[in-house]
């Protein structure tokens, strides 16, 4: 080697995969076309957003002001473009781009990218799942006084960061709500930031109407019981939907307590097991609620029934201890009249659900030590057997409702399977809340930038989910697999595991010529199951 040879070694790791997926979707081009390109700027808004997404999917927790440090040992020119330097990605530039995104409209730009992804990757939209979560924030986040409360789903004013019901069990901190709609594979199709004290029941119907305006597909909307109210059902009467029915509705409570669900034969058990519905039985009822004809599917889950019955036994035990303590206290108490003694007993029984204290007698105390006659009440504890039996019969049961009836009727197994797939939202929320993701970035001080960060986090989830989907579909089609963490072949690897497999890949530059180091046979095979946009970063295409 010549002594004048110039050698540079930079890390690529899995970031070439991330960069390729961003390119494949067309995120940089979409953002630049909407926000414009200023030739005086060293880095465009689209490229900067690409850098933010790569940092978020780098799975190292770094706040915004350390973004440039993230790229110091990376092959930044390979990943972001010739002439791009790490110090171009600073907090001032990031802040300006975030403000531009907010001004243009976060919802608009997110939907543009989603629609491009739907077209490019032919995403299945038969079912769409809505749910919400909350993100707690550290800091004051003082909101403008007398800010009007907006009723529109797409707000013109910044989100109100305040205390509310915390899914993170951090009621001491202010928070922001994030509503997300995903498809059955967990790909985010819609995202929205909501006020910290926003109630799902108040907004879910409006969100679905807004989503339908923006994505002109005939999706069946799936939601939890927060959607199911007379007001919401009227709002979405033109949409197709599946929702859980809350047990606060009298008719629902009566049905789970009274409906007998028949046992099924072995053949049906096997067919349900093949659909991953083993242990489930059901019965259909046609119901009219909120003026809408519906199918109500009363479902019994064996696993949940066993859990509910265990909880019921614990509840009975706690209730028995409580009523024994109350009876002991009642026996010690003295009353001025039999009526006041009976009134006290009545007030105690009104608070008891599973037990009651029945009166044996009210007796007057011996007057030898008192000038006034005092009364004592004696009682005995009885279980409310009928109430307990109702709870036993209700154990493991819940109700799903859909407005798809008559000619559009869904099979019960399809209703249940797609409601169970509501967990695709939960998987997305776990991803967004991962401490190695954007966690520290929530120290941004402006409510506008908090909203923008939520949008960027949802874009990262889109990129991640599309990459994972692509690998799994390719492996399944080829009937091959890759080694999992346990060394077993799988055709359903997580993209995070693939990212780990790609640790230790470098780009070697010798006298201006690039070469990839440590691209093993296994890594090469994985890349062939990803878009060519990913392969080019590893000099394969």
């Amino acid at each position: 080697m010549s002594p004048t040879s110039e050698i540079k070694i930079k890390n690529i790791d899995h970031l070439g995969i991330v960069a390729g997926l961003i390119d494949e979707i067309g995120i940089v081009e979409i953002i630049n076309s909407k926000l414009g390109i200023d030739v005086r700027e060293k880095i465009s808004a689209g490229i900067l957003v690409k850098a933010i997404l790569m940092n978020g999917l780098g799975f190292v927790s770094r706040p915004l002001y350390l973004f440039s440090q993230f790229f110091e040992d990376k092959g930044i020119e390979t990943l972001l473009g010739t002439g791009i330097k790490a110090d171009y990605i600073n907090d001032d530039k990031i802040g300006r781009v975030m403000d531009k995104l907010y001004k243009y409209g976060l919802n608009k730009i997110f939907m543009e990218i989603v629609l491009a992804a739907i077209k490019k990757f032919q995403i299945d939209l038969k079912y769409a799942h809505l749910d919400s979560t909350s993100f707690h924030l550290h800091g004051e986040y003082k909101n403008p006084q007398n800010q009007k409360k907006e009723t529109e789903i797409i707000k013109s004013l910044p989100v109100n960061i305040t205390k509310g019901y915390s899914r993170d069990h951090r009621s001491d901190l202010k928070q922001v709500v994030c509503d997300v709609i995903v498809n059955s594979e967990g790909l985010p199709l819609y995202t929205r930031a909501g006020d910290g004290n926003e109630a799902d029941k108040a907004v879910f119907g409006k969100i679905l109407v807004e989503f339908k305006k923006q994505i002109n597909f005939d999706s069946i909307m799936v939601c939890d019981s927060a959607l199911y109210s007379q007001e919401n059902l009227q709002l979405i009467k033109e949409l197709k939907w599946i929702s859980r029915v809350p047990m606060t509705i009298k008719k629902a409570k009566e049905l789970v307590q009274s409906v007998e669900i028949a046992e099924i034969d072995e053949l049906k058990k096997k067919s349900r097991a093949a659909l991953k519905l083993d242990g489930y039985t059901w019965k259909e009822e046609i119901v009219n609620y909120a003026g809408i004809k519906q199918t109500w599917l009363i479902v019994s889950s064996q696993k949940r029934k066993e859990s509910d019955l265990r909880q019921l036994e614990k509840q009975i035990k706690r209730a028995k201890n409580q009523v024994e303590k109350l009876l002991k206290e009642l026996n010690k108490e003295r009353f001025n009249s039999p009526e006041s003694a009976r009134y006290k007993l009545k007030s105690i029984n009104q608070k008891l659900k599973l037990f009651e204290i029945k009166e044996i007698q009210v007796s007057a105390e011996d007057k030898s030590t008192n000038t006034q006659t005092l009364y004592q009440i004696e009682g005995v504890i009885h279980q409310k057997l009928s109430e307990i039996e109702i709870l036993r019969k209700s154990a493991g049961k819940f109700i799903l409702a859909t407005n798809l009836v008559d000619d559009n009727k869904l099979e019960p197994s399809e209703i249940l399977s797609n409601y169970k797939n509501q967990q695709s939202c939960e998987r997305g929320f776990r991803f967004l809340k991962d401490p190695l993701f954007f966690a520290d970035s929530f120290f941004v001080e402006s409510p506008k930038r908090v909203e923008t960060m939520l949008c960027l986090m949802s874009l990262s989830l889109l990129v991640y989910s599309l990459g994972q989907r692509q690998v799994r579909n390719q492996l399944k089609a080829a009937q091959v697999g890759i080694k999992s963490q346990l060394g077993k072949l799988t055709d359903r690897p997580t993209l995070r595991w693939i990212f780990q497999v790609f640790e230790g890949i470098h780009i070697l530059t010798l006298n201006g010529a690039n070469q990839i180091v440590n691209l093993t046979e296994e890594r090469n095979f994985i890349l062939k199951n990803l878009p060519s946009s990913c392969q080019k970063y590893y000099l394969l295409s």
Side-chain angles (χ1 to χ4, degrees), residues 64-221:
L64 283 177
Y65 57 84
L66 291 181
F67 264 42
S68 59
Q69 285 186 24
F70 173 79
F71 285 101
E72 280 179 358
D73 64 345
K74 309 293 188 296
I76 190 167
E77 292 195 48
T78 301
L79 295 167
L80 297 180
T82 305
I84 302 290
K85 300 188 185 306
D87 58 8
Y88 295 174
I89 307 166
N90 55 63
D91 55 336
D92 289 335
K93 178 64 180 176
I94 292 170
R96 287 196 301 273
V97 169
M98 289 178 80
D99 292 343
K100 279 185 182 180
L101 288 167
Y102 183 89
K103 188 176 180 181
Y104 179 83
L106 300 172
N107 183 263
K108 283 198 293 183
I109 209 146
F110 187 83
M111 293 309 299
E112 289 269 2
I113 293 167
V114 164
L115 290 169
I118 289 169
K119 185 177 179 181
K120 177 75 180 179
F121 291 86
Q122 298 184 346
I123 293 168
D124 177 25
L125 294 174
K126 184 176 180 182
Y127 288 94
H129 301 258
L130 167 64
D131 208 346
S132 71
T133 191
S134 57
F135 289 87
H136 61 266
L137 299 106
H138 299 266
E140 288 295 317
Y141 289 101
K142 292 179 180 176
N143 296 293
Q145 290 187 342
N146 304 319
Q147 180 171 306
K148 291 180 182 177
K149 189 166 180 65
E150 295 182 271
T151 56
E152 294 300 315
I153 285 301
I154 306 300
K155 299 185 176 188
S156 59
L157 297 172
V159 69
N160 182 11
I161 297 170
T162 186
K163 290 181 180 180
Y165 170 68
S166 173
R167 281 83 165 174
D168 300 328
H169 309 293
R170 289 302 306 266
S171 56
D172 56 316
L173 295 174
K174 291 183 178 181
Q175 64 177 25
V176 62
V177 167
C178 180
D179 302 302
V180 175
I181 295 176
V182 303
N183 80 335
S184 296
E185 297 169 297
L187 277 70
L189 306 172
Y190 177 94
T191 185
R192 169 188 173 273
D195 295 342
N197 57 359
E198 187 174 84
D200 293 346
K201 190 175 180 179
V203 296
F204 272 10
K206 295 176 183 177
I207 288 171
L208 293 184
V209 171
E210 181 62 33
F211 174 69
K212 183 65 177 173
K213 285 181 193 172
Q214 298 193 35
I215 291 193
N216 189 24
F217 294 95
D218 200 23
S219 300
I220 298 169
M221 311 307 301

Side-chain angles (χ1 to χ4, degrees), residues 486-505:
L486 301 174
K488 296 179 180 179
L489 284 181
T490 176
D491 63 358
R492 290 185 58 79
T494 65
L495 196 62
R496 177 172 291 198
W497 167 243
I498 288 171
F499 287 174
Q500 287 178 270
V501 170
F502 273 67
E503 284 180 10
I505 295 182

Side-chain angles (χ1 to χ4, degrees), residues 310-323:
R310 284 195 298 270
Q311 290 301 319
L312 178 59
E313 290 308 313
K314 290 178 184 177
Q315 190 181 345
I316 290 169
K317 189 175 180 181
R318 286 195 300 269
K320 188 179 180 185
N321 291 338
Q322 180 195 16
V323 75

Side-chain angles (χ1 to χ4, degrees), residues 511-524:
N511 294 331
N514 291 333
Q515 182 181 333
I516 296 295
V517 180
N518 289 338
L519 194 59
T520 62
E521 190 176 330
E522 179 188 25
R523 291 163 175 171
N524 218 321

Side-chain angles (χ1 to χ4, degrees), residues 167-401:
R167 281 83 165 174
D168 300 328
H169 309 293
R170 289 302 306 266
S171 56
D172 56 316
L173 295 174
K174 291 183 178 181
Q175 64 177 25
V176 62
V177 167
C178 180
D179 302 302
V180 175
I181 295 176
V182 303
N183 80 335
S184 296
E185 297 169 297
L187 277 70
L189 306 172
Y190 177 94
T191 185
R192 169 188 173 273
D195 295 342
N197 57 359
E198 187 174 84
D200 293 346
K201 190 175 180 179
V203 296
F204 272 10
K206 295 176 183 177
I207 288 171
L208 293 184
V209 171
E210 181 62 33
F211 174 69
K212 183 65 177 173
K213 285 181 193 172
Q214 298 193 35
I215 291 193
N216 189 24
F217 294 95
D218 200 23
S219 300
I220 298 169
M221 311 307 301
V222 185
C223 197
D224 224 320
S225 58
L227 177 68
Y228 202 90
S229 69
Q230 294 204 29
E231 185 181 357
N232 281 337
L233 296 187
Q234 284 300 315
L235 270 175
I236 62 169
K237 61 184 178 183
E238 301 302 323
L239 306 182
K240 298 175 181 177
W241 52 262
I242 295 170
S243 174
R244 185 163 174 163
V245 180
M247 285 299 116
T248 50
I249 293 173
K250 186 180 177 183
K251 174 74 173 174
K253 194 180 285 187
E254 289 172 354
L255 278 174
V256 296
Q257 291 172 0
S258 62
V259 164
E260 295 291 341
I261 300 175
E263 292 291 317
I264 57 173
D265 58 30
E266 287 302 316
L267 192 63
K268 280 188 177 176
K269 284 181 182 178
K270 285 181 181 177
S271 67
R272 291 184 189 182
L275 296 170
K276 297 183 179 178
L277 296 177
D278 41 323
Y280 286 96
T281 52
W282 52 72
K283 184 176 182 180
E284 292 178 279
E285 294 271 339
I286 296 296
V287 172
N288 195 297
Y289 183 78
I292 298 166
K293 186 180 180 182
Q294 305 166 36
T295 297
W296 276 18
L297 191 68
I298 302 101
V299 182
S300 176
S301 161
Q302 184 59 35
K303 194 175 286 186
R304 181 170 169 174
K305 182 178 181 178
E306 290 167 4
S307 173
D308 285 354
L309 289 175
R310 284 195 298 270
Q311 290 301 319
L312 178 59
E313 290 308 313
K314 290 178 184 177
Q315 190 181 345
I316 290 169
K317 189 175 180 181
R318 286 195 300 269
K320 188 179 180 185
N321 291 338
Q322 180 195 16
V323 75
E324 285 172 350
K325 186 179 177 183
L326 288 169
L327 179 59
K328 197 173 180 181
E329 290 170 357
L330 185 67
N331 286 338
K332 292 177 182 176
E333 200 167 344
R334 300 296 179 263
F335 301 91
N336 293 328
S337 67
E339 289 75 19
S340 60
R342 291 188 177 108
Y343 181 81
K344 180 62 181 281
L345 177 60
K346 184 180 178 182
S347 66
I348 289 172
N349 279 330
Q350 283 174 343
K351 296 173 185 176
L352 299 175
K353 292 181 180 178
L354 305 180
F355 289 86
E356 62 181 339
I357 299 171
K358 289 190 175 179
E359 178 189 328
I360 295 176
Q361 67 174 5
V362 177
S363 55
E365 273 197 332
D366 186 359
K367 289 182 72 172
S368 60
T369 56
N370 292 296
T371 54
Q372 181 186 354
T373 303
L374 295 177
Y375 296 87
Q376 178 184 12
I377 188 167
E378 293 179 60
V380 64
I381 296 169
H382 281 262
Q383 266 192 352
K384 293 183 181 179
L385 295 176
S386 59
E387 292 292 324
I388 291 171
E389 183 56 28
I390 285 170
L391 291 173
R392 289 192 199 283
K393 287 189 73 173
S394 305
K397 290 180 184 171
F398 58 95
I399 299 177
L400 302 177

